[in-house]
């Protein structure tokens, strides 16, 4: 990066603004080229003043008729008004707190104003319109005005300045293979960038977007295909010994119909001689763990090891607890491998794994460390798969030859995304809860209910139940949200005779486990925790969950959280604070109160937040997409996927396409190492 490419070289951009642009990820003029508008104002059509209607956003070409006059309505609110006219009529313009902005307008001058029309008849006005001076006799400019996503302290005018210079700078070399660009009649990259920032009309925007979406999806598909190619092999292990029925006999309960069905699908897969690649989707509490166990059982019966990777240590430990006893009855040995174990414990565990002395290995990310070597890994289970990235799954897979893979999720993935992430994925659905579950009654409440909720907590405790209180993670520099620790202390004051425990992510694993163990054994009445309890943990006596600042969570996550209660015979409740945080928060929480169906909630969540947030980068391991929308750009996605596959079949390392390879690397910067080596 040279000095003159930095956005600070743009006149009018001082150190303060520079820092704000950096905050948006814009360091250089090239970065600015890649920062696309979020919307446009259509100023191509200029309307006669007489035709304006209430609520409309419009451009007008007018002469200023009166001197702007400013009136102070109250402290902090000035209103400036003046008249403008064209051949068709007269209109008042109104500005809030813009005395100085309007001072530069002069009576008799001609301008284009763009803004929203409010009121009708004599009250009709345009509020805070943008203005542009037009010299006498000149044609008014007609254009699509780009609107950039801003951050506090920056204005559209700042962007206009930076973009004017950025678009004059050279655009990177064209990198999309020529034949592909022709086949889909795509613009060149440089053209598309020019048009997305300065489109003459709506059609130009559509053309530019099409190219930019295609290239983004194409890069995504190239990267994903590279990740996937590293694990597709035609020949898989054949597990011919053992049946799910043998396994069911080991359980203390009868499997549900849905479990029987899913287990049979797994069993069929592992007998085909091709590697299984199956996703099990089932609501929280539907009993997916035993399906993992079925696969591990079949692997062991055929002399292979298996691994279950869980997102948290608590959950891994719980799987260990529930499975090791069952497996012990048929001589299958389990081992638990956690990052928090001492070096010595880990070494001993790894030695057992390498020697094949244990058949089922349960653990966290610790399982995919370089120094973990399996004796003969034949099956891999990834629990709560949305918590892991594509690369992490691939790494576990590579610990074996061509192991069978089962991924389990309580968050349904829309088909499109499944198609991209797994391609040849098969799906089993566990749509039945084990018998005896009572649906969790859910309430959304506001702050004024706090006293009553505290009394409700006490009531549950008196009745012999236990309570979870969940607080959102507090990120540094954030405004007053309750941290688990503070909230625990406050609650202790209000319930002095109760045993209150606190659990949060920053605690040592051993301390976390100790608190969790004490809660599970009834030695703690109220557990105040962050979302570390989100997945999996099972305390049947817990019958109330109170979620603080529930508006801060995604719906699917709230549903997962609430799945921690209602696991026993007690009548169970979930109380969400945050219903007083605005109409949108209230609306979202209402969905949760209305249904206990995780699939329905996931759909609502996806619709409300869009896939970008739903599958946050951190959670899913997918790169962030800037223009493409995985739920909307389906047909382009398919085309991009086909083209990526065809190109990679010819040139797997993209040796002939260095710029393209560089772009893919950039997009997958999290695992660029693994993609092309
Ligand atoms: P999830 O699908 O959320 O992972 P789990 O596998 O943790 O659900 O199961 C939740 C609880 O239900 C566990 O305590 C498990 O032992 C129990 N369970 C699973 N299947 C059955 C069944 N068929 N009958 C009774 N209880 C079951
Ligand atoms: Mg589970």
């Amino acid at each position: 990066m040279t000095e003159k490419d930095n956005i600070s070289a743009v006149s009018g951009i001082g150190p303060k603004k520079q820092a704000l642009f950096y905050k948006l990820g814009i360091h250089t003029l090239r970065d600015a080229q890649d920062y696309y508008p979020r919307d446009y104002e259509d100023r191509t059509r200029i309307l006669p003043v007489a035709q304006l209607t209430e609520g409309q956003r419009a451009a007008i070409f007018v002469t200023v008729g009166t001197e702007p006059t400013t009136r102070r309505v109250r402290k902090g609110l000035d209103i400036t008004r003046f008249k403008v006219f064209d051949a068709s009529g007269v209109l008042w313009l109104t500005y809030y707190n813009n005395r100085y902005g309007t001072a530069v307008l002069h009576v008799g001058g001609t301008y284009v104003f763009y803004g929203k029309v409010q009121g009708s008849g004599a009250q009709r006005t345009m509020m805070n319109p943008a203005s542009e001076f037009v010299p006498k006799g000149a044609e008014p400019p007609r254009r699509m005005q780009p609107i950039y996503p801003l951050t506090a302290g920056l204005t559209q005018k700042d962007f206009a300045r930076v973009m004017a210079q950025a678009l004059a700078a050279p655009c990177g070399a064209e990198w999309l293979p020529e034949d592909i660009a022709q086949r889909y009649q795509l613009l060149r990259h440089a053209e598309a960038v020019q048009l997305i920032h300065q489109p003459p009309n709506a059609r130009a925007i559509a053309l530019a977007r099409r190219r930019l979406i295609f290239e983004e999806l194409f890069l995504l598909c190239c990267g994903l295909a590279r990740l996937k190619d590293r694990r597709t092999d035609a020949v898989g292990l054949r597990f011919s010994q053992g049946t799910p029925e043998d396994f069911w006999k080991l359980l203390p309960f009868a499997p549900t119909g849905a479990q029987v069905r899913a287990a049979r699908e797994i069993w069929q897969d592992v007998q085909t001689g091709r590697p299984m690649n199956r996703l099990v989707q089932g609501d929280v509490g539907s009993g997916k763990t035993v399906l993992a166990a079925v696969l591990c059982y079949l692997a062991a019966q055929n002399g292979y090891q298996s691994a279950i990777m869980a997102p948290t240590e608590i959950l891994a430990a719980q799987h260990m607890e529930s499975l090791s006893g069952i497996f012990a009855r048929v001589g299958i040995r389990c081992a638990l491998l956690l990052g928090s174990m001492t070096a010595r414990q880990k070494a001993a565990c790894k030695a057992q794994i390498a020697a094949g002395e244990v058949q089922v290995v349960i653990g966290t990310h610790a399982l995919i460390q370089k120094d973990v070597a399996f004796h003969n890994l034949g099956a891999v289970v990834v629990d709560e798969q949305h918590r892991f990235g594509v690369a992490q799954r691939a790494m576990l897979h590579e610990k074996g030859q061509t192991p069978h893979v089962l991924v389990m999720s309580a968050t349904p993935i829309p088909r499109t995304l499944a198609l991209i992430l797994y391609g040849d994925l098969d799906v089993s659905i566990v749509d039945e809860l084990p018998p005896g579950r009572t649906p969790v009654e859910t309430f959304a409440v506001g702050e004024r209910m706090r006293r009553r909720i505290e009394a409700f907590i006490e009531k549950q405790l008196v009745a012999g139940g236990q309570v979870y209180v969940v607080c959102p993670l507090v990120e540094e520099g954030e405004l007053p949200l309750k941290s688990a620790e503070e909230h625990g202390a406050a609650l202790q004051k209000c319930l002095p005779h109760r045993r209150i425990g606190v659990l949060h992510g920053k605690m040592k694993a051993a301390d976390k486990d100790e608190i969790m163990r004490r809660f599970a054994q009834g030695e703690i009445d109220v557990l105040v925790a962050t979302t570390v309890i989100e997945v999996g943990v099972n305390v049947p006596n817990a019958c109330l969950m109170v979620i603080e600042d529930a508006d801060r969570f995604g719906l699917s996550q709230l549903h997962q959280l609430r799945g921690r209660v209602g696991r026993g015979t007690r009548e169970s409740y979930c109380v969400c604070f945050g219903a007083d945080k605005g109409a949108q928060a209230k609306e979202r929480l209402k969905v949760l109160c209305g249904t206990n169906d995780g699939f329905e909630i996931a759909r609502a969540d996806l619709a409300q937040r869009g896939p970008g947030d739903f599958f946050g980068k951190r959670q899913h391991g997918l790169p962030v997409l800037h223009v493409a929308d995985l739920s909307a750009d389906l047909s382009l996605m398919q085309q991009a996927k086909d083209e990526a596959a065809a190109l990679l079949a010819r040139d797997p390392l993209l040796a002939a396409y260095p710029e393209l390879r560089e772009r893919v690397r950039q997009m997958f910067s999290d695992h660029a190492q693994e993609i092309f080596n």
Side-chain angles (χ1 to χ4, degrees):
M1 186 174 83
T2 66
E3 200 106 312
K4 80 181 209 319
D5 293 329
N6 192 289
I7 49 130
S8 63
V10 177
S11 73
I13 303 299
K16 247 199 196 132
K17 300 237 167 182
Q18 181 188 19
L20 294 172
F21 274 102
Y22 279 15
K23 195 172 143 197
L24 295 175
I26 303 172
H27 296 251
T28 63
L29 293 176
R30 273 289 289 281
D31 295 336
Q33 289 176 352
D34 293 339
Y35 192 86
Y36 307 138
R38 69 169 162 76
D39 204 358
Y40 300 86
E41 290 173 358
D42 185 352
R43 302 189 191 171
T44 55
R45 271 187 61 216
I46 289 174
L47 293 184
V49 165
Q51 277 181 25
L52 299 178
T53 54
E54 184 166 6
Q56 188 176 31
R57 290 188 168 280
I60 51 175
F61 180 42
V62 291
T63 306
V64 171
T66 61
E67 205 64 58
T69 55
T70 300
R71 184 163 60 89
R72 167 145 297 196
V73 178
R74 57 178 152 77
K75 193 160 184 286
L77 180 60
D78 286 347
I79 292 187
T80 304
R81 277 165 64 85
F82 55 93
K83 263 194 239 184
V84 298
F85 63 89
D86 65 10
S88 74
V90 178
L91 182 73
W92 281 97
L93 301 189
T94 310
Y95 287 86
Y96 287 155
N97 295 336
N98 200 359
R99 180 195 292 262
Y100 302 103
T102 48
V104 301
L105 304 170
H106 57 268
V107 176
T110 47
Y111 298 83
V112 169
F113 290 96
Y114 178 90
K116 188 169 177 182
V117 181
Q118 285 192 357
S120 53
Q123 305 299 321
R124 201 175 57 157
T125 181
M126 202 178 252
M127 297 298 296
N128 300 317
S131 63
E132 186 168 348
F133 177 67
V134 182
K136 270 269 142 38
E139 271 298 301
R142 295 165 191 269
R143 62 163 168 269
M144 302 298 289
Q145 181 73 22
I147 307 294
Y148 293 94
L150 298 175
T151 188
L154 288 183
T155 63
Q156 297 297 343
K157 281 220 163 80
D158 295 324
F159 263 92
R161 268 205 199 97
V162 168
M163 287 304 169
Q165 204 145 325
L167 292 176
C171 206
E174 179 60 44
W175 51 268
L176 190 68
E178 189 60 42
D179 57 318
I180 296 178
Q182 281 193 359
R183 218 166 6 259
Y184 299 97
Q185 305 194 333
L186 299 169
L187 300 180
R188 303 185 63 74
H189 179 76
E191 274 176 300
V193 166
Q194 194 74 36
L195 288 183
I196 202 83
H197 291 292
Q198 297 186 337
N201 51 42
R203 196 181 122 71
I205 298 172
L207 282 175
R209 277 184 56 82
R210 189 156 173 280
R211 154 75 204 219
L212 296 173
I213 290 171
F214 187 93
E215 71 175 47
E216 190 165 51
L217 294 174
F218 184 72
L219 292 173
L220 178 71
C221 291
C222 284
L224 289 172
R226 282 300 306 166
L227 283 174
K228 203 182 318 179
D229 275 358
R230 297 159 63 246
R231 69 179 160 129
T232 35
D233 275 312
V235 187
L237 308 169
R238 207 181 284 273
F239 292 173
S240 48
Q241 302 295 310
T243 68
E245 277 69 34
D246 304 339
F247 176 78
W248 297 138
K249 294 197 192 103
L250 305 175
L251 290 180
F253 44 72
T256 63
Q259 285 170 326
V260 169
R261 238 180 298 125
R264 200 163 286 154
E265 287 165 351
I266 291 168
W267 185 43
Q268 277 162 3
D269 284 355
V270 298
Q271 293 179 86
T272 58
R274 272 179 288 116
M276 173 173 78
N277 195 17
R278 182 170 287 277
L279 169 72
V280 171
Q281 294 195 346
D283 209 342
V284 49
S286 60
K288 295 183 290 294
T289 313
V290 296
L291 295 170
V294 168
L295 177 62
C296 296
Y297 173 81
L298 293 172
Q301 293 305 307
N302 290 272
Y304 288 98
Q305 289 177 306
S306 51
I308 303 178
M309 183 161 70
T312 64
E313 300 215 334
I314 294 175
L315 190 56
Q318 190 169 300
H319 285 338
M320 179 70 181
E321 202 176 309
S322 61
L323 297 183
S324 60
I326 294 170
F327 281 139
R329 299 173 54 191
V330 281
I332 297 174
R333 298 187 57 197
C334 300
L336 184 64
L337 184 64
L338 303 175
S340 67
M341 295 184 344
T342 65
R344 183 190 236 140
Q345 286 171 321
K346 274 190 259 193
C349 184
K350 286 175 202 162
Q352 284 187 314
I353 296 170
E357 288 164 19
V358 291
Q359 288 81 49
V360 181
V361 185
I362 301 170
T364 53
H365 298 80
L367 288 180
I368 53 175
Q369 301 311 308
K370 280 220 167 56
D371 57 351
V372 179
F374 284 81
H375 178 62
N376 62 349
L377 183 63
V380 163
V381 180
V382 181
D383 192 14
E384 305 294 345
Q385 62 83 34
H386 67 282
R387 292 293 202 97
F388 293 102
V390 178
Q392 288 172 315
R393 280 201 304 272
M395 280 158 80
L396 182 56
H397 183 273
E398 301 218 327
K399 297 278 179 191
Q401 280 297 321
T402 48
H404 295 295
V405 177
L406 188 66
V407 294
M408 305 200 295
S409 168
T411 313
I413 305 180
R415 262 207 68 72
T416 346
L417 206 54
L419 193 103
I420 304 157
L421 289 180
Y422 311 96
D424 52 346
L425 178 90
D426 299 305
V427 182
S428 294
I429 293 187
V430 190
D431 52 1
E432 187 182 345
L433 294 183
R437 296 279 162 76
T438 41
V440 181
E441 226 182 302
T442 305
F443 306 94
V445 301
E447 226 21 71
R448 39 183 203 95
M449 291 286 283
R450 187 157 296 276
R451 289 282 97 73
R452 283 171 64 184
I453 299 303
E454 281 162 5
F456 190 60
I457 293 176
E458 176 63 16
K459 187 175 157 197
Q460 299 306 314
L461 298 178
V462 168
Q466 285 168 282
V467 177
Y468 287 106
V469 178
V470 181
C471 304
L473 280 179
V474 186
E475 290 188 9
E476 237 165 278
E478 257 190 338
L479 290 174
L481 286 175
K482 288 177 207 76
S483 76
E485 264 163 342
E486 287 166 38
H487 194 60
L491 203 60
Q492 185 72 75
K493 271 207 195 103
C494 116
L495 302 171
H497 54 297
R498 295 298 181 185
R499 296 163 302 180
I500 292 178
V502 174
L503 191 67
H504 57 79
K506 292 218 179 78
M507 289 163 60
K508 283 208 206 82
D511 297 341
K512 275 193 264 187
D513 287 354
E514 174 62 10
I515 295 278
M516 204 58 226
R517 187 193 61 73
R518 286 173 56 203
F519 184 65
Q521 296 188 347
E523 295 165 18
I524 288 175
D525 303 310
V526 181
L527 183 64
V528 182
T530 54
T531 49
V532 288
I533 58 153
E534 177 191 349
V535 285
V537 191
N538 206 15
V539 180
N541 195 46
C543 59
L544 167 61
M545 170 165 291
V546 178
I547 305 177
E548 297 289 336
D549 299 301
D551 53 297
R552 301 281 304 227
F553 296 92
L555 280 182
S556 292
Q557 201 183 6
L558 288 170
H559 180 63
Q560 291 270 340
L561 282 167
R562 136 176 105 169
R564 299 303 104 214
V565 296
R567 301 206 141 212
T569 46
R570 288 178 185 280
E571 193 74 37
S572 295
Y573 308 92
C574 175
V575 174
C576 297
F577 276 99
D580 49 356
K581 302 255 190 82
Q584 208 189 345
K586 196 168 168 187
E587 199 56 34
R588 293 185 55 227
L589 294 177
K590 226 166 86 186
V591 175
L592 201 70
C593 301
T595 178
N596 264 285
D597 180 340
F599 287 84
E600 197 176 321
I601 288 165
R603 272 193 296 275
D605 201 9
L606 190 63
Q608 285 175 354
R609 289 197 291 164
D613 283 340
F614 189 77
F615 298 102
K617 173 179 168 142
R618 307 293 301 262
Q619 273 201 357
H620 214 270
L622 260 187
V624 174
L625 299 180
H626 298 291
V627 260
D629 174 353
L630 291 178
S631 62
D633 298 316
L634 241 185
S635 64
L636 272 186
M637 181 72 209
Q638 191 61 52
Q639 290 166 350
K641 186 170 182 249
D642 294 346
E643 291 294 346
L647 184 67
L648 287 168
R650 285 204 308 272
D651 185 355
L653 294 177
L654 298 177
Y657 303 91
E659 285 104 358
L660 169 58
R661 195 175 55 203
E662 195 42 44
R663 291 255 173 180
V664 177
R665 261 190 216 277
Q666 274 168 20
M667 183 181 237
F668 284 77
S669 53
D670 286 0
H671 18 75
Q673 287 310 313
E674 304 134 45
I675 285 190
F676 294 110
N677 62 8

